[in-house]
Amino acid sequence: MNPAVKSFYRVYRPQNFDAVGGQEFVTKTLANQIATNKIGHAYLFCGTRGTGKTTVAKIFARAVNCEHFHDGKVCGQCAWCKSPNQNMDIFEIDAASNNGVDAVRDLVDSVKYPPVVGRYKVYIIDEVHMFSGSAFNALLKTLEEPPAHVIFILATTEPHKLLPTVQSRCLRFNFQNVALPDIIKVVQGVFKKEKLTADDAALTAIAKEGRGSVRDALSFADTVAAYCAGEPITVAKINQIVGGVDATVFARLVQQITAHDAAGVRKTVADIFAVATGADRLLTGVLDAIKDAYVTTPTPQLANTLKLFANLEPTLKYATDPHGYFETAALVACGAN
Ligand SMILES: [Zn+2]
């Protein structure tokens, strides 16, 4: 298989609640509701992009229709689980591209017809905050008294944009940004299935690029896998993709600062800017190196250096000459005692 032509996120989208990374509270509560038959008719899934809202909505839609849902999993054997026509009862609407009142009127109209295959018709509305005011008004009454065979799952990255009347009609679940170890686990699982080799440092570097989103981490993993083309995945190769600087280069810079070696500092800063892209990655790299040095030998100079670079963040983000600012901070630190 050519890793460049498929997306890990789509291929390995979790099919059961327990396979969803980092949202245990949400998935356990939903599984319990199905198991105890205490299902709501309108849910609101809130959280930043790539945290699994749509994935969990799809799992819930299948789980709630399974005749023998057990232990957090669908049975895989019942008429529903075996049906090729599940999409006749599960509807996914993207409010960003269908935000007008007509789309909602069609939806409201279809709600009254019973499900075709399963027990429930599930309407998943992505980015629901994009609905126009009149579209929301058209939805409100149905949301208030949906037919017994209908479940709405409204997903949004911006819940504050929803009318209180909409919020109050829904059971709300907040999806958390996914913690780094959970993202690492997901990436590791995908690489294992793909028979790709990556060391721990590389896995961590890929997971960090997700910044709390499994989807973003896996999209980046797609790029890395394509770039490495079957060769072992390493931090050095990842750095080539993202314009990252190897940790040893930052460690060298900190050593030169400590040794008051101004010429060395200038040279290393030039090396860093020859490859570096992105102020945040640059600062994280240098701050990590200073922190590592401080832990081994805490000195006032290192404490000052840490402050100097930490204060540089807002400047570096918008500076037209980040190299100049970065070099000045390094030289000031170099001259300090
Ligand atoms: Zn089933």
Side-chain angles (χ1 to χ4, degrees):
M1 276 190 285
N2 179 355
V5 296
K6 62 183 174 139
S7 126
F8 290 154
Y9 186 70
R10 284 184 191 282
V11 175
Y12 296 104
R13 199 189 263 272
Q15 299 299 312
N16 273 303
F17 286 126
D18 62 357
V20 178
Q23 308 295 354
E24 276 74 15
F25 173 75
V26 174
T27 52
K28 274 192 181 145
T29 310
L30 290 173
N32 282 341
Q33 286 191 345
I34 299 172
T36 57
N37 210 11
K38 289 183 178 139
I39 299 153
H41 284 274
Y43 290 88
L44 181 61
F45 288 0
C46 311
T48 52
R49 61 188 296 273
T51 48
K53 300 183 295 296
T54 314
T55 298
V56 171
K58 286 178 172 178
I59 294 172
F60 182 80
R62 287 194 301 272
V64 82
N65 275 309
C66 170
E67 288 162 30
H68 310 292
F69 178 79
H70 183 67
D71 233 6
K73 285 192 167 79
V74 293
C75 73
Q77 304 294 328
C78 69
W80 162 264
C81 283
K82 292 198 154 178
S83 170
N85 298 318
Q86 292 183 354
N87 60 359
M88 294 177 85
D89 290 338
I90 301 176
F91 306 88
E92 203 181 335
I93 300 116
D94 178 12
S97 48
N98 299 293
N99 62 355
V101 68
D102 291 343
V104 176
R105 283 208 183 111
D106 287 349
L107 185 160
V108 166
D109 206 40
S110 77
V111 156
K112 59 178 181 268
Y113 302 107
V116 180
V117 186
R119 283 178 293 175
Y120 295 98
K121 284 168 86 169
V122 184
Y123 292 82
I124 301 167
I125 307 179
D126 278 323
E127 301 296 345
V128 69
H129 62 273
M130 302 289 278
F131 270 160
S132 66
S134 49
F136 263 125
N137 283 335
L139 184 66
L140 265 181
K141 196 166 159 30
T142 308
L143 212 52
E144 197 168 46
E145 289 172 348
H149 61 259
V150 165
I151 297 170
F152 281 103
I153 303 177
L154 314 181
T156 180
T157 50
E158 304 192 51
H160 56 277
K161 288 189 177 166
L162 299 179
L163 297 169
T165 44
V166 173
Q167 301 204 28
S168 66
R169 282 162 174 72
C170 300
L171 289 172
R172 177 171 172 157
F173 285 91
N174 294 320
F175 285 62
Q176 308 297 322
N177 278 355
V178 184
L180 190 63
D182 288 324
I183 303 184
I184 292 174
K185 242 188 268 168
V186 173
V187 177
Q188 201 168 25
V190 168
F191 281 3
K192 200 172 165 200
K193 285 177 192 145
E194 290 283 317
K195 299 193 167 49
L196 293 168
T197 316
D199 57 28
D200 287 351
L203 285 170
T204 306
I206 292 169
K208 273 186 181 170
E209 287 294 316
R211 293 181 180 80
S213 154
V214 172
R215 178 166 63 208
D216 289 356
L218 287 181
S219 306
F220 182 63
D222 282 331
T223 310
V224 174
Y227 181 75
C228 294
E231 296 287 309
I233 295 164
T234 61
V235 170
K237 283 187 183 138
I238 293 168
N239 280 338
Q240 284 166 9
I241 297 170
V242 298
V245 178
D246 199 85
T248 55
V249 179
F250 287 116
R252 187 169 79 223
L253 178 69
V254 173
Q255 274 165 16
Q256 288 163 333
I257 288 172
T258 319
H260 306 288
D261 171 8
V265 163
R266 273 205 185 88
K267 164 90 180 53
T268 304
V269 171
D271 289 347
I272 288 171
F273 275 85
V275 290
T277 54
D280 54 345
R281 196 176 284 117
L282 196 65
L283 277 175
T284 309
V286 74
L287 291 173
D288 279 351
I290 300 165
K291 193 187 69 197
D292 288 348
Y294 190 85
V295 170
T296 339
T297 330
T299 65
Q301 190 204 12
L302 280 173
N304 280 328
T305 306
L306 188 69
K307 257 189 242 164
L308 270 166
F309 280 102
N311 288 338
L312 206 57
E313 191 183 359
T315 316
L316 216 55
K317 251 184 195 159
Y318 303 107
T320 48
D321 176 24
H323 187 160
Y325 281 103
F326 193 90
E327 189 183 68
T328 307
L331 288 172
V332 172
C334 183
N337 284 302

